[in-house]
Amino acid sequence: MATSRRNIPGSGYNQYLVARSIYSEPTFQEENEKKEIIRKPLKDKLRNNLSCTSRKAYRVVKSILPVLDWLPQYRWKEWFVNDLISGVSTGLVGTLQGLAFALLAAVPVGYGLYSSFFPILTYFVLGTSKHISVGPFPVVALMVGSVVLSMAPDEKFPLLSNSTGLNKTLVDTVARDAARVMIAGTLSFLIGIIQLLLGVFQIGFIVRYLADPLVGGFTTAAAFQVFVSQVKLVLNVPTKNYNGVLSIIYTIIDIFKNIAKTNIADLIAGLLTFIVCVVVKEINDRYKHILRVPIPIEVIVTIVATGISYGANLELKYNAGIVKSIPSGFIPPMTPDVSMFSDMIGSAFSIGIVAYAVAVSVGKVYATKHNYAINGNQEFIAFGISNLFAGAFSCFCATTALSRTAVQESTGGRTQIAGLISALIVLIAIVALGRLLEPLQKSVLAAIVIANLKGMFWQLGDIPRLWRQNKWDSVIWVFTCIAAIILGLDLGLLAGLIFGLLTVVLRVQFPSCGSLGNVPGTDLYKDVKKYKSVVEPEGVKIVRFTSGIFYGNIEGLRNGIQSIVGFDAVKVFNKRTKALRKIHKLIKKGQLKATKNGIISDPGTDNEAFEPDDDPEDQEEEDNQVVQTKEVEIQVDWNSELPVKVSVPKVSIHSIVFDFAQITFLDVVAVRTLKVIFKEFKRIDVDVYIAAYDDQVLAKMETCLFFDDVIKPDIFFLTVHDAVLYIEDKIKYSDGHDPLLEKISLMQESKEPLEFTDIDPNDPEFDDPEQSLRTLAS
């Protein structure tokens, strides 16, 4: 092969000129010897994998404990001040968010502080992201809350009271809260087990199935559910705790039924908190290039609201709903209730996957921004152990919050040291400052939660963008969002995941099948419908199928080929067989003959008149007569001028080239059907070639017995252009005789009746592909 390169003056392009032979598969294999792949015996593989050296052991320990890798390289003088400022800011925000998100998890608010503290300690040692702030996240907290409320509803904890002279059922809040804390802690422990196992078995790839449109629709639906659950706290209206399908609808109905009972003090406090938080957060975003540290508006609002509530005694005067009790210090570790595992295993799996997906997605964003990598499987292990550890201390499931992580990164956080410092700030709140927040109104915490949902609600703007870019992604987004709102978060996520996978199947099952043409003067081939200048080679159709071929889309391939070539090969063959019978009858009756100079003689008739395809008289005769003689082995040019009363569809092509460049896989049914298609075209004198195939596809076809005495490897070409050049050379040097006249002459000379080949319905080569699997397997 000779290759040269030159620059065309004034064109701005380099031109490559390549001179080489036309490569079919056999000729390429003759000139290029394959490498011999020597597979290692299983014994050697086990020895290499199980052998232990000091270097390998140290590398394994560093992969399990990433802190050993980055902490010795920490630049204390350069980074610590940034991490200190970032940690303090993030810790203040994390303290307030922990209290607020505990309301979503349906546990006492003090346990939100624990959930903002314990997971950070283990992630500091095991995590690979330098910037995410580990702790509660509203979507995950709400999913935990749905499990807690379903397993420990108020109705399970009645407390009879007759202090007014009438029996009245009250709720034993102490027993209820204790049960809910146990459920949340046990759920966190089970989530940790699941995440740890997924990490150990290297199943981090599972989050690939949570595509961005699916996650966007799901988190937006979760934000809507969070909003509704917090509105009832802002209004402080009595509602039942619903869970499951349509629970959000029932909650909205309850809110409107009881809206007349709105607590004005809580409503005013919530609205003021929401407005102030949204305005200041917008200022932080707009002037972040000026503000060294974002204004900690949640902390400021909380301190002010707590002071007002305490000074005005809002609980006694206006019956405002306040936090009331925040435990000081730590509670002893608990033993998870293993008997609950069977009731929460499904929810635990979905919550664990969502928590991991959110954390890894956020972590990858900041890892890319700061030029480092995170390990997906190690993140599974890190969060698994963090949730195991946190569950033992009555915490609910931890992941990361977008707003908290943004604060940690934007304030200059460089490493996990910032996260550790934020945990110390939360620790101070747990030990010393927690009780000071007891007069705080729950509506203030609810308003803080709602203010943090802005980013999730802005995802609604993704719908028109996705519709323009990819309509399937837009449909997945909308479907997942609606399903999560109506069915609940766990079932909605499952429904969205199944629907997303179904769309992939549909896209693979109905791929595009196009016809290609040549860009003049090049070896490039493009879709003839998209480009004006491309030209289809005369008598050749080039078919491109844009998907792997399997049992689900093989009929789509058949229909696409038929649409491109303009005829059905089986019908053409049947009509040609019937035409030969008619020609034979005309010869026997003396109504047709071929003269010596090659002109078909049919005196007294008009060749423009055609007989209908189905002649009842002919059909009856064919049914009653069995022709049993030898076949005349000769090709007929069916595009030449045919005798009277013979109607055969014209076949304007002599070759088909299948472009396999985008075929990534084949199954047994596909190989079987391709073999049938090849022979169907071969019977009507149309040659089939395959080009631009992958070696694995060729190997699969060999394994599935595609080749036989008729189909040879020389129909495979390395490129489409190789196949086209080969076809052109073949046609150029073929003789130009008229096969029809030769066929008729042989009929005249034959003393015996002729045999006409029909399709044998019992021939396994032309069975339906699905029915032929057993034949192929045997």
Side-chain angles (χ1 to χ4, degrees):
M1 180 181 70
T3 305
S4 63
R5 172 179 175 177
R6 66 181 181 180
N7 186 270
I8 304 174
S11 68
Y13 296 99
N14 287 327
Q15 184 180 50
Y16 290 87
L17 302 177
V18 179
R20 64 170 175 82
S21 304
I22 296 175
Y23 279 134
S24 64
E25 176 64 20
T27 57
F28 182 79
Q29 294 298 337
E30 289 176 5
E31 297 184 15
N32 299 272
E33 184 179 356
K34 283 187 176 180
K35 289 184 178 180
E36 183 180 358
I37 300 176
I38 302 176
R39 301 185 180 276
K40 290 185 177 181
L42 179 61
K43 182 179 180 180
D44 293 342
K45 292 182 179 178
L46 291 176
R47 185 185 297 113
N48 292 334
N49 291 332
L50 299 179
S51 63
C52 183
T53 63
S54 58
R55 177 175 293 182
K56 183 180 290 187
Y58 180 65
R59 189 165 59 248
V60 170
V61 170
K62 282 205 306 182
S63 66
I64 297 175
L65 302 174
V67 68
L68 299 178
D69 186 31
W70 64 264
L71 189 58
Q73 304 174 23
Y74 188 80
R75 303 174 188 174
W76 291 92
K77 293 182 179 180
E78 298 179 31
W79 294 348
F80 183 72
V81 174
N82 289 331
D83 281 340
L84 178 63
I85 296 172
S86 174
V88 172
S89 303
T90 307
L92 292 173
V93 175
T95 300
L96 271 300
Q97 288 188 351
L99 295 172
F101 297 160
L103 299 176
L104 298 174
V107 297
V109 293
Y111 291 88
L113 295 178
Y114 301 150
S115 301
S116 297
F117 173 73
F118 285 107
I120 298 177
L121 304 180
T122 46
Y123 189 85
F124 172 81
V125 177
L126 300 168
T128 59
S129 175
K130 299 178 181 179
H131 292 90
I132 65 172
S133 175
V134 179
F137 179 57
V139 173
V140 174
L142 184 65
M143 296 180 74
V144 171
S146 66
V147 177
V148 171
L149 292 175
S150 66
M151 297 182 67
D154 291 343
E155 293 78 11
K156 278 192 175 183
F157 306 94
L159 181 65
L160 294 178
S161 173
N162 56 1
S163 58
T164 60
L166 297 173
N167 288 336
K168 184 179 180 182
T169 302
L170 301 177
V171 177
D172 186 353
T173 56
V174 175
R176 181 200 65 186
D177 290 346
R180 290 180 174 179
V181 168
M182 173 61 73
I183 293 170
T186 302
L187 180 61
S188 177
F189 195 85
L190 180 57
I191 291 171
I193 293 174
I194 293 172
Q195 290 178 328
L196 181 59
L197 290 176
L198 292 175
V200 169
F201 290 105
Q202 306 287 296
I203 313 181
F205 67 87
I206 195 171
V207 294
R208 297 176 189 172
Y209 296 100
L210 299 179
D212 289 345
L214 186 147
V215 173
F218 174 77
T219 53
T220 303
F224 178 74
Q225 295 221 19
V226 170
F227 174 77
V228 172
S229 68
Q230 298 307 289
V231 163
K232 67 180 183 181
L233 292 176
V234 172
L235 300 175
N236 195 8
V237 294
T239 61
K240 293 181 180 179
N241 291 319
Y242 298 99
N243 186 58
V245 179
L246 298 178
S247 60
I248 193 69
I249 307 299
Y250 297 140
T251 302
I252 293 173
I253 293 173
D254 265 9
I255 290 174
F256 279 100
K257 279 183 178 180
N258 299 296
I259 200 164
K261 300 177 182 179
T262 299
N263 188 293
I264 301 301
D266 284 331
L267 176 60
I268 293 174
L271 288 177
L272 289 175
T273 300
F274 173 76
I275 293 171
V276 172
C277 286
V278 169
V279 170
V280 176
K281 282 178 175 291
E282 187 65 27
I283 293 173
N284 284 338
D285 289 341
R286 185 164 297 184
Y287 298 103
K288 59 184 178 182
H289 59 285
I290 298 176
L291 297 172
R292 170 67 173 169
V293 177
I295 301 172
I297 188 59
E298 291 99 337
V299 178
I300 296 172
V301 167
T302 301
I303 294 173
V304 173
T306 303
I308 293 174
S309 177
Y310 177 77
N313 201 2
L314 296 179
E315 182 188 14
L316 291 178
K317 291 183 178 180
Y318 301 99
N319 196 28
I322 64 171
V323 172
K324 286 188 178 179
S325 176
I326 297 179
S328 179
F330 294 101
I331 59 175
M334 71 168 196
T335 302
D337 189 350
V338 180
S339 63
M340 297 180 182
F341 280 5
S342 59
D343 297 327
M344 58 177 61
I345 181 67
S347 298
F349 186 83
S350 60
I351 295 171
I353 295 298
V354 171
Y356 170 80
V358 170
V360 170
S361 299
V362 175
K364 284 184 176 179
V365 170
Y366 289 105
T368 302
K369 181 178 179 180
H370 293 277
N371 196 29
Y372 65 92
I374 63 174
N375 186 322
N377 288 308
Q378 179 61 27
E379 288 296 293
F380 250 139
I381 294 173
F383 278 102
I385 294 178
S386 294
N387 283 312
L388 278 170
F389 180 63
F393 286 92
S394 306
C395 303
F396 52 89
C397 180
T399 175
T400 185
L402 280 67
S403 57
R404 246 186 0 258
T405 301
V407 169
Q408 181 167 315
E409 190 270 342
S410 63
T411 52
R414 304 297 296 269
T415 65
Q416 291 93 317
I417 294 286
L420 189 61
I421 294 172
S422 70
L424 295 177
I425 301 300
V426 178
L427 176 63
I428 294 172
I430 294 173
V431 174
L433 302 179
R435 290 192 177 275
L436 298 178
L437 298 174
E438 289 181 353
L440 179 64
Q441 292 170 270
K442 290 183 179 180
S443 64
V444 173
L445 292 177
I448 291 174
V449 172
I450 295 173
N452 280 282
L453 298 177
K454 183 188 74 170
M456 296 186 195
F457 282 123
W458 277 118
Q459 292 179 128
L460 287 167
D462 291 344
I463 299 176
R465 176 181 60 82
L466 289 173
W467 183 261
R468 292 190 300 270
Q469 295 174 351
N470 189 319
K471 291 179 174 58
W472 280 111
D473 288 342
S474 180
V475 172
I476 292 172
W477 197 106
V478 173
F479 179 89
T480 305
C481 184
I482 294 174
I485 290 174
I486 295 176
L487 302 178
L489 295 180
D490 48 357
L491 292 178
L493 177 64
L494 179 61
L497 180 61
I498 293 174
F499 180 77
L501 295 176
L502 180 61
T503 62
V504 174
V505 174
L506 291 175
R507 279 182 273 186
V508 173
Q509 189 169 357
F510 301 105
S512 62
C513 186
S515 179
L516 304 184
N518 177 247
V519 180
T522 72
D523 61 348
L524 304 178
Y525 290 81
K526 290 292 183 179
D527 196 325
V528 295
K529 293 182 179 180
K530 295 181 180 180
Y531 296 92
K532 297 180 179 179
S533 60
V534 298
V535 178
E536 289 186 280
E538 184 178 357
V540 180
K541 287 290 184 181
I542 305 170
V543 180
R544 171 177 287 172
F545 198 62
T546 59
S547 171
I549 309 176
F550 67 108
Y551 63 91
N553 65 9
I554 193 64
E555 285 306 313
L557 174 62
R558 275 184 172 274
N559 295 335
I561 294 171
Q562 184 176 336
S563 174
I564 290 172
V565 301
F567 58 85
D568 185 333
V570 176
K571 291 181 178 179
V572 170
F573 177 77
N574 289 337
K575 290 186 177 183
R576 287 186 176 185
T577 303
K578 185 181 292 187
L580 282 176
R581 287 195 178 99
K582 291 182 178 181
I583 293 173
H584 183 231
K585 287 174 59 179
L586 294 174
I587 292 175
K588 288 174 61 177
K589 294 178 180 179
Q591 297 178 359
L592 180 67
K593 64 179 180 179
T595 63
K596 292 182 179 180
N597 58 4
I599 299 174
I600 298 175
S601 175
D602 191 13
T605 60
D606 183 3
N607 281 348
E608 293 182 358
F610 290 93
E611 182 180 321
D613 291 341
D614 298 325
D615 186 344
E617 182 181 348
D618 291 347
Q619 186 65 44
E620 183 178 354
E621 182 178 346
E622 291 169 9
D623 292 340
N624 296 331
Q625 178 183 1
V626 178
V627 184
Q628 295 180 345
T629 55
K630 63 181 179 179
E631 170 68 52
V632 178
E633 296 292 343
I634 191 162
Q635 298 292 319
V636 178
D637 184 2
W638 293 101
N639 291 314
S640 63
E641 185 178 359
L642 297 176
V644 69
K645 297 184 180 181
V646 178
S647 174
V648 176
K650 300 294 184 181
V651 177
S652 59
I653 64 172
H654 51 73
S655 303
I656 297 176
V657 179
F658 290 138
D659 181 1
F660 267 29
Q662 298 185 24
I663 305 299
T664 54
F665 67 93
L666 297 167
D667 68 355
V668 176
V669 175
V671 175
R672 176 72 177 173
T673 305
L674 286 172
K675 189 172 184 178
V676 171
I677 291 172
F678 178 93
K679 293 192 174 182
E680 287 174 352
F681 280 105
K682 192 68 176 176
R683 292 183 311 181
I684 62 172
D685 310 320
V686 176
D687 295 324
V688 181
Y689 302 91
I690 295 175
Y693 51 88
D694 185 79
D695 286 343
Q696 293 182 349
V697 171
L698 179 62
K700 173 63 69 175
M701 299 180 82
E702 290 176 346
T703 304
C704 295
L705 308 179
F706 180 76
F707 301 106
D708 55 21
D709 294 338
V710 178
I711 306 176
K712 303 292 185 181
D714 56 8
I715 67 168
F716 285 76
F717 289 85
L718 265 63
T719 68
V720 173
H721 200 55
D722 282 307
V724 171
L725 293 178
Y726 172 82
I727 293 169
E728 290 178 349
D729 287 344
K730 181 179 178 182
I731 297 300
K732 179 179 179 181
Y733 294 107
S734 62
D735 55 2
H737 70 278
D738 188 341
L740 179 59
L741 292 176
E742 185 175 351
K743 180 74 172 180
I744 295 174
S745 299
L746 289 171
M747 286 180 177
Q748 293 176 146
E749 297 170 2
S750 177
K751 302 300 183 182
E752 298 178 351
L754 299 175
E755 180 187 53
F756 303 102
T757 305
D758 287 317
I759 298 175
D760 183 0
N762 298 318
D763 185 355
E765 290 293 342
F766 299 99
D767 285 344
D768 185 68
E770 286 81 353
Q771 299 295 329
S772 303
L773 283 174
R774 289 190 299 274
T775 304
L776 182 63
S778 61

